Amino acid sequence: SGQIGAGGQGNPSDNHVSDVSVTAGGDIALDGGDGNTAYAQIGMGGNGADGDMDSNITVTSNGGSVTVDAGNGDNAVAKIGNGGAGADGEMTGFIDVKADTFIRVAGSDSTTGTGGFAMIGHGGITYAGDLGDADDFIRVNAGTSVEVLGGAKDNSFAMIGHGGLNNTGSPTVNSTIEVTAGTDVTVRGGASTTTDDAYAMIGHGGAQMTSTTDSAIRVDARNGTLTVAGGGGVNTTANFAQVGHGGHEVEGAQGGVIVVLANAIDLVSGPTPESYAQIGHGGFEDDANTDGVLSGNIFVNFDPNANGGVGAVVGGSGNIILNSTGGSTDAFTQIGHGGRDREGTITGNILIGKAANVELLGGGTRAYAQIGHGGAGSAGFSAPVAKSGNITRLETAAVTVTGGSGP
């Protein structure tokens, strides 16, 4: 393993309080290795490390890129943040990553190792403890593009946000998230070859966990395209893509304003079950439990903070397309809180500031395309649940809504 920051693999029950700053005149690359647990990290902790971790982390590439790429071995993690696979303890501190060219966060592209995840954020796999606090932030700023790409094997997720997979307990997860790109932002689920969780997301949460979050998300690609695309694979599930808190089988209240600004926005669901694409809190659920309240306004191509808080239309010269035509069962596309079987009260307005055209294209069984809160099966198993909020469209030439081949 390679690490800049206190801790280390299997470090026992030590608390770490110190800041980490890395600046380079060229590229900064974090590459997980070929061996098992051969992780690469800027931050406190490490795989299997215990103890509270409080560290502000700054990573700056002047003239180059920042890449966070998981390796081929089992748990060959790459991350900027505190924690790691199997790390326990409260993890806090801001994370500020800047590159003059591109920034990439990518799960392992190996088809042999498992658990090769990549993230800019605190947490990991099977972690325990609260993540972030109300004063923390995750800021990612690229001169060109930002890519968040799921991998090719089990648990090879990629994310900008706190969380991960299979946490224990019910942690509180906070920190505002700001992602800014000079051109495009791409959030694309992977193509896991066996089971699941090669997802990609900008937001807190992940998969198979319980957490509570109330933090704003802002994604600014006003000069390019925001692509949110579910992944593929063979006999797999949950290779989803999401801008929002929650994820796959994540319970607990999720809240916070979401602002997405782009010239064009493409949401495309994947060809495997549950490989949805969503802008909003929530995600996919498969049980009859009440999953928690979802809340917060969603602004698409409208900046509510512009003009002294009056707001202004930003971007939107291209189309907004929600395309579920190639989606498998439960591989939906949605702008709104909720998702398949996500049961709980939902509040918040949705405002679309501008788009040349808006197209919603439905697909197969429960592969719906929707602008609005809710989703298939989200009405409530035991009793109806409330969903409230206005949907407003300001500047759009045409709107097309096309049903698919399934219910």
Side-chain angles (χ1 to χ4, degrees):
S1 62
Q3 183 172 353
I4 299 176
Q9 185 165 300
N11 190 270
S13 300
D14 286 339
N15 296 331
H16 305 294
V17 181
S18 61
D19 296 339
V20 178
S21 180
V22 177
T23 301
D27 298 336
I28 297 175
L30 283 78
D31 297 320
D34 292 332
N36 293 341
T37 67
Y39 67 89
Q41 181 172 351
I42 298 176
M44 303 295 174
N47 286 0
D50 294 338
D52 294 342
M53 308 166 199
D54 184 9
S55 174
N56 295 325
I57 302 169
T58 304
V59 177
T60 305
S61 169
N62 294 317
S65 63
V66 174
T67 54
V68 185
D69 296 334
N72 296 327
D74 290 350
N75 294 322
V77 175
K79 69 172 298 183
I80 298 174
N82 301 326
D88 294 339
E90 183 176 320
M91 306 172 198
T92 56
F94 70 70
I95 302 173
D96 194 350
V97 180
K98 182 178 180 180
D100 283 346
T101 60
F102 67 92
I103 295 173
R104 181 181 66 234
V105 183
S108 173
D109 61 4
S110 169
T111 59
T112 57
T114 64
F117 67 88
M119 66 189 301
I120 297 177
H122 305 320
I125 293 178
T126 61
Y127 70 91
D130 293 341
L131 305 177
D133 61 34
D135 298 326
D136 289 340
F137 60 83
I138 299 173
R139 182 183 298 136
V140 175
N141 192 322
T144 57
S145 63
V146 174
E147 294 182 304
V148 185
L149 308 173
K153 192 63 174 177
D154 302 351
N155 307 337
S156 59
F157 61 86
M159 64 188 298
I160 297 175
H162 302 323
L165 175 67
N166 285 337
N167 75 297
T168 59
S170 301
T172 298
V173 183
N174 282 312
S175 293
T176 60
I177 299 175
E178 299 179 15
V179 176
T180 303
T183 57
D184 302 328
V185 173
T186 300
V187 184
R188 188 182 302 277
S192 175
T193 56
T194 50
T195 55
D196 56 12
D197 293 324
Y199 58 84
M201 69 184 299
I202 297 175
H204 302 316
Q208 301 172 36
M209 58 186 289
T210 299
S211 63
T212 300
T213 300
D214 187 6
S215 297
I217 298 174
R218 179 184 176 94
V219 177
D220 190 340
R222 65 183 67 190
N223 297 316
T225 298
L226 169 62
T227 300
V228 184
V234 180
N235 298 321
T236 63
T237 61
N239 297 329
F240 67 90
Q242 185 169 351
V243 176
H245 305 314
H248 186 263
E249 298 177 3
V250 174
E251 298 184 355
Q254 313 292 330
V257 172
I258 298 175
V259 178
V260 292
L261 310 172
N263 183 54
I265 297 175
D266 292 329
L267 276 70
V268 184
S269 60
T272 55
E274 303 164 23
S275 294
Y276 63 88
Q278 182 176 10
I279 297 174
H281 305 318
F284 174 88
E285 263 293 352
D286 64 354
D287 58 37
N289 297 330
T290 299
D291 300 309
V293 174
L294 303 177
S295 62
N297 296 330
I298 299 175
F299 296 94
V300 178
N301 293 340
F302 185 88
D303 187 350
N305 300 320
N307 297 328
V310 175
V313 170
V314 175
S317 297
N319 297 329
I320 296 175
I321 300 176
L322 285 70
N323 186 352
S324 299
T325 58
S328 183
T329 302
D330 297 320
F332 57 88
T333 55
Q334 183 170 356
I335 297 177
H337 306 319
R340 166 69 170 137
D341 283 350
R342 187 48 163 87
E343 182 178 352
T345 300
I346 304 176
T347 62
N349 300 321
I350 301 173
L351 191 154
I352 297 176
K354 183 180 179 180
N357 298 287
V358 177
E359 297 182 49
L360 288 79
L361 307 172
T365 302
R366 296 186 298 277
Y368 60 87
Q370 178 175 338
I371 296 177
H373 303 319
S378 66
F381 289 93
S382 56
V385 291
K387 302 171 182 66
S388 62
N390 299 320
I391 301 174
T392 305
R393 174 179 58 89
L394 297 183
E395 301 178 27
T396 303
V399 176
T400 304
V401 182
T402 304
S405 60

